[in-house]
Amino acid sequence: MRRLLIAALAALAFAGPAAAQAPARLGVVLAPKPGEGMGVTMTMASPALKAGEGLVRMPLRLVGIPRPTWADDRLTAKDDRGAIPLTQSDEPPTPQGVYRRWSVGRATVGDVVVAYVAPARKVTAATNNGPLFDLREEAGGFAGAGNGFLAAPVRSGPWSIHLTWDLSASAPGSRGVWSLGEGAVDTVGPSELLQFSYYYAGPVKSYPKASDPHFSFYWLSDPPFDPNELGDKMRALYGSMARFFDDEGGSYRVFVRQNPFLGTGGTGLARSFMFGYNFDAKPTVDSLQGLLAHEMAHTWPAMQGEHGDTAWYSEGMAEYYSTVLSHRAGAISVDRVVKTFNERAAAYYSNPYIAYTNPEAAKVFWTDPVAQTVPYGRGWMYLQQTDAAIRAATGGKRSLDDIVTAIRKRQVANQPYGIPVWVELVGADIGKAKAQAMYDDMAAGKVLLPPKDLYAPCLSVVRRDVRPFQLGFARSSLNDDRVVKDLVAGSAADQAGVRNGDVIVQTSDVNEVRKDDTKSITLTLKRGEAQTTVTYLPRGAPVEGWGWERTAGVPDSACKF
């Protein structure tokens, strides 16, 4: 799956007004139970809820990832008076998903204790890849985000959180790790922090062997790549990125899990990210570097506003700085930068949703993984245009770096850092009218061209036409039901013999196929009792595209990114 980070949702983990008084205490005890699920005991200090008020909530489905079905009485609550009757209701659905809410049937007295065991999600080779939110069992342990199993208080808080682990049912030597620390952790934050963060427990292995308060890399199953080598590279890159964003005192954790299905993907949440891989695909340290750098870069750039309006910033910034900061840190060569740039440009120009406005793209964002990549390429190309305009207007004295770090400082200082601030800051360098026009063109879905002189004399802009990706039927057909629907008449899929109602038994990794417009896709289909295999090139007619090439005779030392 194409890399995906739910930046707007993850930002909730740090949202919320400052407390006017000491935060209420919230105790969380997590008890991994292999073969059964994750035990959760949560104690809220005297919440004084009235009858009918919401107690806790969690997603039934979030950005396409379902929560395993629970028995209605699995979650219980009690206080000083004894058992609390609970009612369940579903909150109004959003484009991201649906939340289930548990409300109290009477006024609460004293502390309230919520208890339940959340089952892990069962996945197979046929499961559709997606954000790494679901709780899964792996190699005697558990891995997943809080929104896959943890019912958080409806009251946002902030709370004084004390999180601990009960590992009595786990293998000897097991460890419990949260995005914010290992073992017992105390912090202050909103209830959303519990859901938009990662949990990892069991016979955990980690890098570095000696404790590092700033960076840790964890895995449960032995992967086909060297986790210590990859951890070492990520540790160095984290240090470089943290210095750039003036955040050297923080901590960061990377979690790894193995997928039974094809595809590699990552999702970043609070001070951490998790990535998944398919063992048989044999990913290498080199092939994973770009994915992990992207997810790590998501830790810092953020913008206030609705996800559909601001995803160009969070995703575009991660695309841009994951590459340029990796190069500045010496992690990747100039040729690797050029290769990455051209891959991203090809993905941008070949995206069938390229001309959608930001609001239009947001409407289909969670229905098609290809639509999810619109802000990646669009934001990345727009940021390069902005960088070029700032450098030209200031004679090279200022760049995109100055705007990004200014936005970051405003975020940390709890000052406004939304789109109007962005346009104002850029406008101070290039003129307000030009800054607004450039932003409006990007948001309207105008096709953007690479700035000609940004990387001169190292790189030259060249025309590189591409063929738009066209699967030929609804992308949702590759979800759990695996039945072909909405076949496009005359498409390559139609001409190859694919038919509505066919059951998809097996498929190539669609997201890998989408990255290369010369790569065919192979489907094994079942129609009635018969089974057949079809192969076709899932592409439309060529469209105009652009990219970069090295300028002959220019040394690496002249290449500045």
Side-chain angles (χ1 to χ4, degrees), residues 133-301:
F133 287 166
D134 48 339
L135 178 69
R136 297 187 198 165
E137 284 197 63
E138 179 183 337
F142 288 84
N147 52 46
F149 74 95
L150 209 156
V154 171
R155 288 185 181 174
S156 183
W159 297 86
S160 178
I161 301 170
H162 178 65
L163 186 140
T164 59
W165 296 84
D166 173 3
L167 301 172
S168 58
S170 300
S174 288
R175 302 151 65 187
V177 188
W178 185 25
S179 289
L180 276 67
E182 184 170 342
V185 178
D186 291 283
T187 191
V188 174
S191 58
E192 292 91 345
L193 176 58
L194 292 170
Q195 292 184 328
F196 289 92
S197 52
Y198 283 112
Y199 301 83
Y200 208 75
V204 177
K205 303 170 186 176
S206 61
Y207 165 92
K209 291 183 178 179
S211 177
D212 182 338
H214 301 299
F215 180 87
S216 297
F217 187 96
Y218 302 91
W219 64 98
L220 283 163
S221 302
D222 289 332
F225 51 86
D226 183 344
N228 290 291
E229 180 186 356
L230 185 57
D232 191 54
K233 287 180 177 291
M234 290 299 101
R235 185 187 192 185
L237 183 57
Y238 171 75
S240 176
M241 287 186 172
R243 284 190 294 274
F244 177 81
F245 289 105
D246 194 22
D247 187 32
E248 291 184 86
S251 66
Y252 202 83
R253 290 171 175 80
V254 178
F255 303 101
V256 185
R257 76 180 186 191
Q258 190 178 123
N259 295 326
F261 46 79
L262 291 174
T264 300
T267 306
L269 295 178
R271 305 298 306 188
S272 60
F273 72 83
M274 182 177 287
F275 76 93
Y277 67 91
N278 178 265
F279 189 93
D280 293 337
K282 297 292 188 289
T284 65
V285 169
D286 185 62
S287 70
L288 291 168
Q289 194 278 336
L291 162 69
L292 304 194
H294 174 99
E295 300 304 341
M296 187 175 289
H298 266 300
T299 305
W300 297 279

Side-chain angles (χ1 to χ4, degrees), residues 387-450:
D387 192 22
I390 294 172
R391 291 175 186 269
T394 64
K397 295 179 181 179
R398 287 172 57 80
S399 69
L400 179 67
D401 290 358
D402 297 291
I403 308 300
V404 173
T405 52
I407 290 280
R408 170 67 183 172
K409 288 176 181 177
R410 296 182 68 89
Q411 177 191 2
V412 172
N414 291 318
Q415 297 173 345
Y417 59 103
I419 293 171
V421 173
W422 165 265
V423 174
E424 178 184 348
L425 291 174
V426 175
D429 284 326
I430 70 173
K432 184 176 180 180
K434 183 174 182 179
Q436 188 66 58
M438 289 180 66
Y439 171 79
D440 289 342
D441 284 347
M442 179 275 294
K446 180 179 178 179
V447 177
L448 308 177
L449 302 181

Side-chain angles (χ1 to χ4, degrees), residues 21-170:
Q21 56 187 14
R25 290 177 290 106
L26 179 65
V28 181
V29 180
L30 300 179
K33 302 176 184 294
E36 185 178 354
M38 182 71 77
V40 179
T41 303
M42 181 182 300
T43 304
M44 302 179 205
S46 300
L49 298 173
K50 298 177 182 178
E53 281 195 279
L55 176 64
V56 293
R57 64 193 290 266
M58 73 175 301
L60 290 177
R61 176 177 288 269
L62 189 64
V63 291
I65 303 300
R67 186 202 76 185
T69 302
W70 289 13
D72 288 342
D73 59 353
R74 180 181 287 265
L75 185 147
T76 63
K78 64 181 180 180
D79 61 5
D80 290 354
R81 286 184 54 190
I84 303 173
L86 301 174
T87 58
Q88 299 182 36
S89 61
D90 292 345
E91 298 176 2
T94 70
Q96 290 77 37
V98 177
Y99 276 76
R100 171 69 51 85
R101 176 176 294 205
W102 286 261
S103 301
V104 297
R106 62 166 173 80
T108 63
V109 180
D111 293 353
V112 173
V113 179
V114 175
Y116 59 95
V117 177
R121 184 187 182 199
K122 306 296 185 184
V123 293
T124 69
T127 300
N128 192 38
N129 204 351
L132 283 76
F133 287 166
D134 48 339
L135 178 69
R136 297 187 198 165
E137 284 197 63
E138 179 183 337
F142 288 84
N147 52 46
F149 74 95
L150 209 156
V154 171
R155 288 185 181 174
S156 183
W159 297 86
S160 178
I161 301 170
H162 178 65
L163 186 140
T164 59
W165 296 84
D166 173 3
L167 301 172
S168 58
S170 300

